[in-house]
């Protein structure tokens, strides 16, 4: 039996006596973001800038647990899987509504999942590819599967499986799904804790409380506690911090790790490092030529391996993350299920790096350009250090700073040679990051152009493998193949640094990255 703490006993006693915990309701929390969202449709999306807003607007059948390691009931109060693993049955909660007050029905669920699982429905459609049909009857939704799918519960807790209002979406102007999605996303309606109220692109966004939200708070009343959340778009790290310290913001994201110690000593700020699944890397264009037709040295695997060996990760962890980081050994974080702990990564070895480059077609060195996010102190510190490290190989790194929207557009058009990047799992299963980083059929392996027929085959097998031991073996091989091919520069894992005013209670950024404002409040 677990030993109960005094706090746990007090909480249990209060609940057994029917006493509601004191919490302040109302008010607006102002939160500083480094960049604005782009497109608020949950299906045709793959950017964290959007995802971390989407999870406050839309709900899913299942939801990730706070520790990011499992799933819990969401719009579905329960689910079961047949013995042969080919039928999943979910039961919806009663009285569910969208933010406009209209009823959320099993038909909305069927339509939403049917839309999300279409092969051309965004980067994440493959996560629902095992579903052969969806049936809806009363409060019951039945998923008939082509094959058993060990990843499906986690997939149903992911943003692209959000439940949307069929009537409102189909009534949106547009000749096809993409046009309707663009129109609907300007004034989205979901069943999440908040609904979009105002949006001045590039400046601010306001989410107001959804009065029909189903989840209850500590006081027994419907969440959220806040009346609204206002997101101020402030690309410059220092400006976000100054506004927080001046009381103009109650929260700020992506605090430079160089400022963590300083803010921890501030009497007005709670500086928090939330546990994460975040991996930081540099994506490399692996194609023989760039978009402008010039020869690309990064198409040579020996060059890519050399750059990895010439990257002193332990030094970067001290210089960039101020000791908060952890060396990256796989393309997935060490907290991801089926991470292979035997992976060696690319330990710093300058002699080996020089030998590999000498054996390549570019033994005399070359110029390479990396896209960075303007205003990011972490990006600048990282790339300045890499200029020195790679300079020892004769590689001249040029930094091109762009705003987040332009950087994303260039990346999606494959118009880059290198770019700084970070990933966080949206589900705690290796299938998602693997499909994104290692499958060419899914956005060309994070637009690197990397291809591996063997990884494609192993991944397809793993999506049907119910034996954890066999699945682990498949992923061990996948990680090894990817490591040897070196499509990316392996850097480090880092936590989520968020600074909050002292009166903010209940805000959580879970390891999957989702910003949870539903339980946040402003205490007096």
């Amino acid at each position: 039996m677990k030993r109960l703490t005094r706090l746990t006993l007090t909480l249990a006693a209060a609940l057994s006596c029917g006493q509601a915990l004191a919490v302040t309701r109302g008010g607006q929390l102002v939160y500083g973001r480094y960049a604005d969202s782009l497109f608020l449709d949950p299906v045709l999306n793959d950017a964290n800038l959007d995802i971390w807003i989407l999870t406050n607007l839309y709900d899913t059948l299942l939801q990730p647990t706070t520790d990011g390691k499992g799933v819990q009931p969401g719009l579905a109060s329960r689910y079961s899987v047949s013995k042969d693993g080919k039928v999943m049955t979910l039961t919806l909660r009663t009285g569910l509504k969208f933010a406009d007050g209209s009823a959320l029905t099993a038909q909305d669920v069927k339509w939403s999942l049917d839309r999300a699982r279409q092969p051309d429905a965004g980067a994440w459609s493959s996560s629902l590819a095992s579903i052969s049909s969806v049936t809806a009857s009363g409060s019951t939704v039945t998923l008939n599967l082509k094959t058993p799918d060990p990843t499906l519960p986690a997939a149903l807790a992911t943003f692209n499986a959000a439940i949307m209002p069929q009537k409102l979406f189909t009534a949106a102007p547009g000749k096809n799904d993409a046009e309707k999605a663009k129109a609907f996303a300007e004034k989205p309606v979901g069943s999440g804790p908040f609904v979009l109220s105002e949006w001045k692109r590039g400046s601010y966004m306001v989410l107001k409380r959804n009065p029909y939200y189903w989840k209850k708070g500590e006081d027994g009343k419907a969440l959220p506690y806040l009346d609204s959340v206002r997101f101020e778009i402030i690309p410059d790290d220092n400006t976000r911090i100054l506004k927080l310290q001046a009381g103009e913001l109650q929260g700020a994201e992506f605090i430079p790790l160089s400022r963590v110690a300083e803010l921890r000593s501030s009497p007005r700020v709670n500086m928090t490092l939330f546990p994460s699944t975040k991996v930081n890397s540099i994506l490399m264009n692996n194609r023989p030529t760039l978009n402008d037709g010039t020869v690309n040295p990064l198409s040579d695997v020996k060059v890519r391996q050399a750059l990895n060996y010439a990257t002193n990760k332990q030094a970067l962890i001290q210089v960039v993350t101020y000791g908060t980081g952890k060396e990256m050994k796989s393309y997935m974080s060490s907290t991801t299920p089926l991470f292979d702990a035997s992976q060696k990564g690319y330990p710093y070895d300058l002699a080996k790096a020089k030998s590999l480059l000498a054996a390549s077609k570019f033994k005399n060195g070359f110029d390479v350009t990396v896209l960075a996010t303007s205003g990011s102190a972490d990006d600048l510190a990282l790339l300045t250090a890499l200029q020195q490290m790679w300079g020892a190989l004769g590689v001249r790194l040029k930094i091109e700073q762009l705003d987040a929207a332009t950087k994303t557009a260039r990346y999606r058009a494959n118009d880059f040679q290198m770019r700084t990047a970070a990933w966080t799992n949206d589900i705690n299963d290796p299938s998602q990051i693997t499909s994104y980083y290692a499958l060419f059929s899914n956005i060309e392996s994070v637009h690197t152009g990397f291809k591996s027929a063997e990884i494609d085959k192993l991944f397809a097998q793993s999506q049907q493998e119910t034996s954890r031991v066999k699945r682990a073996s498949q992923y061990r091989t996948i990680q090894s193949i990817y490591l040897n091919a070196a499509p990316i520069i392996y850097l480090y894992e880092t936590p989520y640094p968020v600074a909050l005013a002292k009166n903010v209670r209940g805000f959580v950024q879970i390891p999957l990255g989702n910003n949870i404002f539903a339980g946040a409040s402003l205490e007096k």
Side-chain angles (χ1 to χ4, degrees):
M1 177 182 290
K2 292 183 179 179
R3 182 179 178 184
L4 295 176
T5 64
R6 185 184 298 267
L7 177 60
T8 306
L9 290 169
T10 302
L11 175 60
L15 293 175
S16 67
C17 294
Q19 298 174 15
L21 295 175
V23 64
T24 301
R25 282 186 170 268
Q28 182 179 78
L29 189 151
V30 185
Y31 192 84
R33 300 185 75 196
Y34 84 99
D36 199 2
S37 293
L38 305 170
F39 179 44
L40 298 179
D41 176 83
V43 172
L44 305 177
N45 216 315
D46 66 348
N48 283 339
L49 288 170
D50 299 323
I51 294 166
W52 296 348
I53 293 294
L54 292 172
T55 50
N56 289 282
L57 299 175
Y58 299 95
D59 261 349
T60 45
L61 293 170
L62 304 175
Q63 295 183 342
T65 52
T66 304
D67 65 4
K69 296 181 179 180
V71 298
Q72 61 186 335
L75 294 175
S77 58
R78 61 182 182 274
Y79 76 95
S80 61
V81 180
S82 62
K83 289 184 178 180
D84 65 0
K86 296 180 70 174
V87 179
M88 177 184 281
T89 305
L90 303 106
T91 303
L92 298 180
R93 298 177 187 277
T94 58
L96 292 172
K97 293 183 179 182
F98 290 107
D100 68 338
S102 62
L104 188 158
T105 69
Q107 181 57 40
D108 290 304
V109 174
K110 171 179 166 53
W111 174 82
S112 296
L113 295 183
D114 282 343
R115 177 181 178 238
R117 67 189 182 88
Q118 294 302 310
D120 59 349
W124 308 118
S125 61
S126 61
S127 67
L128 301 170
S130 63
I131 301 174
S132 62
S133 65
V134 183
T135 60
S137 178
S139 62
T140 301
V141 176
T142 304
L143 309 182
N144 301 294
L145 310 184
K146 302 168 190 173
T147 60
D149 184 354
T151 73
L152 190 55
L156 294 176
T158 307
F159 63 91
N160 69 306
I163 306 308
M164 303 176 68
Q166 180 182 4
K167 290 182 180 179
L168 291 180
F169 186 94
T170 53
K175 298 177 183 179
N176 52 43
D177 184 86
E179 290 183 5
K180 288 180 178 294
K182 185 176 180 181
F184 184 83
E186 290 299 310
K187 295 183 179 179
V189 175
S191 62
F194 295 92
V195 62
L196 180 65
S197 174
E198 297 178 62
W199 189 5
K200 185 177 180 181
R201 288 182 179 271
S203 182
Y204 68 88
M205 175 189 290
V206 178
L207 306 186
K208 68 178 182 180
R209 183 179 185 274
N210 173 9
Y212 304 103
Y213 190 52
W214 57 271
K215 191 177 288 187
K216 298 291 192 292
E218 295 174 353
D219 58 3
K221 300 176 183 178
L223 290 172
Y225 299 120
L226 296 166
D227 290 330
S228 60
V229 180
R230 181 184 177 97
F231 296 101
E232 292 285 347
I233 311 306
I234 308 171
D236 185 71
D237 293 336
N238 290 330
T239 304
R240 285 200 306 282
I241 292 171
L242 287 172
K243 285 181 175 291
L244 178 72
Q245 292 173 324
E248 297 176 39
L249 302 176
Q250 286 81 53
E253 67 178 1
F254 288 97
I255 299 298
L257 296 168
S258 61
R259 305 289 298 274
V260 168
E262 169 198 344
L263 291 175
R264 277 182 168 166
S265 64
S266 171
R268 302 185 62 176
V269 175
N270 279 328
M271 183 65 238
T272 305
L273 297 178
F274 288 102
S276 85
T277 55
K278 184 177 180 181
V279 286
N280 302 265
S281 63
I282 292 179
L283 306 184
M284 291 187 279
N285 191 328
N286 290 203
R287 298 170 184 85
T289 58
L290 301 176
N291 277 17
D292 62 5
T294 59
V295 173
N296 181 21
L298 302 181
S299 63
D300 189 327
V301 65
K302 289 186 174 67
V303 170
R304 299 196 302 269
Q305 290 174 338
L307 290 174
N308 268 289
Y309 278 117
T311 301
N312 189 333
K313 292 145 192 83
Q314 290 302 321
L316 291 175
I317 287 169
Q318 296 305 315
V319 171
V320 184
T321 80
Y322 285 73
T324 65
K326 177 181 179 180
E327 187 170 339
M328 189 176 166
K329 300 290 183 71
S330 167
Y331 62 86
M332 64 178 73
S333 73
S334 58
T335 56
T336 302
L338 306 187
F339 164 80
D340 179 16
S342 69
Q343 293 286 318
K344 302 299 183 184
Y346 280 94
Y348 178 60
D349 190 333
L350 185 57
K352 192 165 188 176
K354 288 181 176 180
S355 174
L356 282 164
L357 195 65
S360 76
K361 297 177 183 178
F362 304 91
K363 59 183 179 181
N364 295 321
F366 53 89
D367 293 337
V368 63
T369 300
V370 60
L371 304 186
T373 304
S374 58
S376 170
D378 287 346
D379 266 15
L380 190 58
L382 164 66
L383 298 176
T384 301
L386 287 179
Q387 282 179 322
Q388 296 180 339
M389 292 177 186
W390 294 352
L393 293 179
V395 175
R396 297 167 292 278
L397 179 63
K398 298 181 179 179
I399 303 170
E400 185 176 356
Q401 298 190 61
L402 301 171
D403 63 84
T406 303
K407 181 184 174 188
T408 299
R410 289 270 302 272
Y411 157 70
R412 288 175 173 171
N414 298 335
D415 185 18
F416 72 101
Q417 194 170 16
M418 285 184 169
R419 65 154 288 189
T420 56
W423 166 277
T424 57
N425 295 340
D426 296 291
I427 60 177
N428 218 22
D429 185 272
S431 59
Q432 187 197 35
I433 187 171
T434 302
S435 69
Y436 205 61
Y437 269 63
L439 298 189
F440 184 84
S441 60
N442 190 17
I443 68 161
E444 301 181 26
S445 305
V446 281
H447 296 283
T448 62
F450 167 75
K451 294 181 182 179
S452 168
E454 189 173 358
I455 286 181
D456 291 348
K457 180 180 178 181
L458 286 166
F459 179 78
Q461 293 171 348
S462 74
Q463 288 296 92
Q464 302 177 32
E465 183 54 67
T466 56
S467 165
R468 183 177 176 84
V469 173
K470 292 180 181 178
R471 199 163 181 250
S473 176
Q474 292 162 342
Y475 270 100
R476 189 177 303 114
T477 304
I478 288 172
Q479 290 170 80
S480 179
I481 294 170
Y482 194 90
L483 183 75
N484 290 332
I488 64 174
I489 300 294
Y490 289 70
L491 295 176
Y492 37 73
E493 304 179 33
T494 51
Y496 300 128
V498 178
L500 300 165
K502 288 286 188 181
N503 66 327
V504 176
R505 172 192 166 194
F507 169 85
V508 177
Q509 186 168 17
I510 69 173
L512 305 181
N514 301 356
N515 291 313
I516 309 298
F517 288 94
S521 64
L522 296 172
E523 297 303 318
K524 298 178 180 178

